[in-house]
Amino acid sequence: MNFEAIKKETIMLVPNKEPALQRIPSEIRIDPLTGRTARICHFMKLAWEKPDFDALVSGTDAWCPFCGAKVHQLTPQFPAELIAEGRMCKGDMVIFPNMAPYDSIGAVAIFGARHYIPMTEFTPS
Ligand SMILES: [Zn+2]
């Protein structure tokens, strides 16, 4: 069985790096059984800085469509043949259709009345 790989190279000038001319390898590998291809790339290391969530969230509760009674006024509803009440509600939790669906049935869940809940404060209940 022949495993074919087509070696590639990207050459570019990268600011603030020595040597100035960088050569970045990649390759295309061809599956000998299916003929399908895959690309093998070497991405640069991504270093993310943790955002200041308190600053990002501050003041957004005033216009948030998911807070308080607004969730029942501003969010879409499922058709009655799917969910008779339009939205699924349990206590202060609400599930409604996703306005940007990625499949035939997609939903958004509101996990309670708090405007912002850090992921580290999610609880099983
Ligand atoms: Zn909110």
Side-chain angles (χ1 to χ4, degrees), residues 16-64:
N16 304 324
K17 278 207 163 193
E18 292 295 333
L21 199 61
Q22 297 288 305
R23 296 177 180 275
I24 303 167
S26 64
E27 65 183 59
I28 298 173
R29 293 181 183 174
I30 302 167
D31 185 309
L33 298 176
T34 66
R36 298 180 72 175
T37 59
R39 290 179 182 272
I40 308 300
C41 305
H42 305 280
F43 293 112
M44 68 180 83
K45 183 180 177 189
L46 299 175
W48 298 98
E49 242 180 74
K50 184 180 177 186
D52 181 351
F53 289 112
D54 290 334
L56 288 170
V57 171
S58 177
T60 58
D61 54 329
W63 52 264
C64 176

Side-chain angles (χ1 to χ4, degrees), residues 78-79 82 97-98 100-107:
F78 291 103
L82 191 61
N98 189 339
Y102 46 84
D103 209 328
S104 55
I105 298 175

Side-chain angles (χ1 to χ4, degrees), residues 60-61 64-67 114-116:
T60 58
D61 54 329
C64 176
F66 309 129
C67 273
R114 286 175 60 192
H115 173 61
Y116 171 64

